[in-house]
Amino acid sequence: MTPALMFFIELLWLGLFGWYFATDYGARKRILALVLVVVAVAMSVAMIYPPDKKIALGLDIKAARRS
């Protein structure tokens, strides 16, 4: 994922977060909360996928994999 795309997604997420705090309607607030959580989880998964290439292993785990 390119940094520019990530920036605009996070900017959209920030706008939704502001809208969540500004709204007074319960149903709209629940839908916005759901969208915020889904976007946050999707971005978290996108940041670490594929885990073999994105997560650096410590020395102890590297040594255990070789054995």
Side-chain angles (χ1 to χ4, degrees):
M1 183 174 300
T2 65
L5 179 62
M6 180 73 105
F7 173 77
F8 287 115
I9 290 172
E10 293 295 328
L11 193 61
L12 174 71
W13 193 79
L14 183 63
L16 286 172
F17 202 62
W19 188 14
Y20 172 80
F21 281 116
T23 190
D24 290 332
Y25 299 111
R28 185 179 298 160
K29 207 166 194 136
R30 283 190 295 275
I31 291 170
L32 285 170
L34 176 67
V35 171
L36 286 168
V37 169
V38 168
V39 170
V41 169
M43 293 304 295
S44 298
V45 169
M47 292 294 282
I48 65 166
Y49 188 79
D52 292 340
K53 295 179 182 170
K54 300 263 179 128
I55 298 175
L57 299 178
L59 294 176
D60 55 342
I61 298 175
K62 284 182 183 177
R65 278 194 164 182
R66 285 188 217 145
S67 302

